[in-house]
Amino acid sequence: MTKVDSEKLRETQVFTPAWVTNAMLDMLDQDVFTSQESYFFEPSCGDGQMLVVLLDRIFEALFKKYDSDPDKALADTLHKFFAIELDETLVAKARMRVYEWAVAKLDRSPTELEAYLIARAIQQNLECEDFFNIFGKPERQPIKRKLMKGSEGK
């Protein structure tokens, strides 16, 4: 991946406020947050603001599903997302934001092993990457226009 000028990149970034993220999540079938088949992809996570709102929604749904067990809800939450960000300076901020959010969800201080496992899950699921390196650039399809009947040759 080529280095991107952070200043130029920041000039074009827009961060989604929590209320907008919540409004978008409200449009989904709420069962999606607890479904074993559901997995969330954030293609441009910035500093993690939108991601933490999403993770909080997943966690709260799983917390209810698992009879208020924060350990189980957190473990499942941290494996239900994958996020990428092109700006490497924001990746570190996003990882720290998600880590602080995760630790706050426990009703105690994490053990060293738990802290490691939380950090490792975040590192594996939140990467510095270009969306187009993963999925490729979309091919532009030429527009094919149908000729109207009787207009051939005109």
Side-chain angles (χ1 to χ4, degrees):
M1 185 171 109
T2 60
K3 295 273 184 190
V4 176
D5 180 9
S6 292
E7 287 304 312
K8 280 190 174 186
L9 191 58
R10 265 190 216 91
E11 291 172 10
T12 62
Q13 294 171 340
V14 177
F15 297 95
T16 308
W19 70 269
V20 172
T21 305
N22 275 313
M24 290 189 298
L25 296 174
D26 288 342
M27 291 183 211
L28 297 174
D29 178 348
Q30 298 304 292
D31 291 339
V32 73
F33 300 113
T34 57
S35 170
Q36 293 288 346
E37 291 82 33
S38 298
Y39 194 74
F40 296 87
F41 174 59
E42 166 57 286
S44 182
C45 73
D47 66 359
Q49 179 175 309
M50 185 175 183
L51 184 58
V52 166
V53 173
L54 169 65
L55 294 176
D56 203 49
R57 189 69 78 91
I58 296 168
F59 177 86
E60 292 304 323
L62 291 171
F63 188 72
K64 288 177 188 169
K65 178 180 177 179
Y66 297 138
D67 298 321
S68 303
D69 183 344
D71 295 342
K72 191 166 186 178
L74 183 59
D76 277 11
T77 299
L78 291 176
H79 291 94
K80 288 184 73 68
F81 81 97
F82 181 69
I84 58 175
E85 172 55 48
L86 181 60
D87 185 340
E88 62 192 15
T89 62
L90 291 177
V91 171
K93 290 178 183 179
R95 284 178 176 164
M96 182 55 75
R97 182 177 280 205
V98 173
Y99 180 83
E100 290 170 351
W101 168 87
V103 169
K105 290 298 175 183
L106 296 175
D107 53 3
R108 60 185 163 32
S109 295
T111 65
E112 285 184 30
L113 178 60
E114 289 171 326
Y116 168 77
L117 292 173
I118 290 169
R120 185 157 192 253
I122 294 166
Q123 183 179 13
Q124 289 177 333
N125 293 339
L126 201 163
E127 296 183 4
C128 183
E129 188 60 73
D130 184 344
F131 176 84
F132 294 116
N133 285 345
I134 295 174
F135 294 100
K137 292 186 178 175
E139 295 293 323
R140 293 190 175 237
Q141 299 295 323
I143 297 173
K144 293 182 181 177
R145 298 178 191 259
K146 289 185 179 180
L147 295 174
M148 291 175 30
K149 197 172 191 175
S151 65
E152 297 87 14
K154 291 187 179 179

